Amino acid sequence: WAKAQYVDEGSNKKQQNNSTTPSSTRIPSTKGKTSYLAANSAYNNVRTPSGDPGKGIPPGTLFRCYGKGDYASDRVWIDLDDDKIIDGSIISGSVCKVNTDTIIVSISEQKLYVLRNYDVVFSAPCITGNKGTKDTNLGVQSFIELKPGTWMTGIRPNGTKYCIWTDYWMQFNTDEESIHNSLRRKPSDYTPYTYNGDGSYGCVNVTYDTAKTLYNYYAFLGEQVIVTMSTSSIFR
């Protein structure tokens, strides 16, 4: 999917069963730990307890937090490399806690994960927004609209109108970005590289089978959806 105003797909309503079978491969759990997401912009105000400048946190980075320092209640002091040594701090209002049950979209992996009680119970390939031009919004978001089938309408970049069917629509922000199946995608499209040149206009494309599974078992209004550049910190 594209955002509401753009798309380049066919226009016939039909059901699609071209799924690459989703994987349920286990990934090391973060159960019992607290994770935070640095979303939307780079946080370069990280500092060490001594006040020295610290390394900035790239946008979309997931990292673990070991609590606040008594001497700075308005800041979260963080351990970026999990060595139990505080590397710096970040203003607490600029980070969001990751829920025990959440859906995570990894841009770098082009993969979607479903966590339940911090355990990965479902994962599948996806295609996110076209890299560098229509990137999917990073950050901690949530499902605001779920539809078991809808017509997507809007205007293409060339000015022509479109009306395209999708079987499962799971919108997670007010920019009309959604997780949904795409009728134009083939199983072979679901690679870690397709989004670099043939990505969506912001939405997260998945196969029909993946969309059906998400809609029927894991997607709930208000549920947290995290779009991040990498899951390396939360899953390590």
Side-chain angles (χ1 to χ4, degrees):
W1 162 242
K3 295 183 181 179
Q5 66 267 42
Y6 304 112
V7 81
D8 184 15
E9 302 189 25
S11 60
N12 294 327
K13 175 181 176 180
K14 61 180 179 179
Q15 195 176 67
Q16 181 183 20
N17 280 298
N18 64 349
S19 172
T20 301
T21 303
S23 166
S24 60
T25 303
R26 298 275 298 181
I27 294 176
S29 172
T30 61
K31 186 175 181 180
K33 300 181 183 295
T34 302
S35 298
Y36 286 79
L37 178 70
N40 300 325
S41 63
Y43 292 97
N44 294 313
N45 59 344
V46 176
R47 58 187 173 84
T48 65
S50 63
D52 297 328
K55 181 181 179 181
I57 304 174
T61 299
L62 285 164
F63 60 91
R64 293 177 186 156
C65 170
Y66 291 85
K68 297 180 180 180
D70 294 337
Y71 41 83
S73 59
D74 63 332
R75 303 186 73 84
V76 175
W77 297 85
I78 58 174
D79 175 7
L80 289 173
D81 52 9
D82 206 16
D83 63 357
K84 305 301 185 292
I85 298 174
I86 293 176
D87 295 307
S89 66
I90 194 166
I91 298 172
S92 58
S94 299
V95 294
C96 298
K97 186 175 181 181
V98 175
N99 292 342
T100 58
D101 294 350
T102 190
I103 292 176
I104 297 177
V105 176
S106 171
I107 301 294
S108 63
E109 297 171 87
Q110 291 294 281
K111 200 166 184 179
L112 176 150
Y113 298 94
V114 177
L115 273 66
R116 290 295 179 267
N117 196 26
Y118 289 124
D119 288 331
V120 177
V121 297
F122 178 83
S123 63
C126 66
I127 300 171
T128 59
N130 202 57
K131 185 177 180 180
T133 59
K134 292 293 179 181
D135 298 290
T136 302
N137 290 339
L138 295 173
V140 179
Q141 302 162 81
S142 62
F143 287 125
I144 60 175
E145 184 176 56
L146 303 174
K147 292 181 179 180
T150 189
W151 292 99
M152 302 181 294
T153 60
I155 301 175
R156 296 182 176 90
N158 63 9
T160 61
K161 295 181 179 180
Y162 67 83
C163 184
I164 298 169
W165 178 259
T166 185
D167 298 283
Y168 297 97
W169 172 263
M170 294 162 275
Q171 185 175 335
F172 56 85
N173 61 37
T174 55
D175 283 344
E176 298 187 33
E177 293 179 343
S178 164
I179 301 172
H180 70 86
N181 65 299
S182 173
L183 300 182
R184 77 180 179 95
R185 299 291 188 184
K186 306 181 297 295
S188 59
D189 290 338
Y190 290 89
T191 75
Y193 316 107
T194 299
Y195 85 114
N196 189 5
D198 189 25
S200 75
Y201 280 90
C203 281
V204 179
N205 293 167
V206 294
T207 65
Y208 173 85
D209 287 348
T210 294
K212 181 179 180 180
T213 297
L214 289 173
Y215 188 89
N216 288 332
Y217 298 103
Y218 299 121
F220 304 96
L221 285 175
E223 180 171 12
Q224 190 176 77
V225 177
I226 297 172
V227 181
T228 179
M229 291 305 298
S230 172
T231 59
S232 60
S233 293
I234 195 170
F235 284 161
R236 68 183 177 184

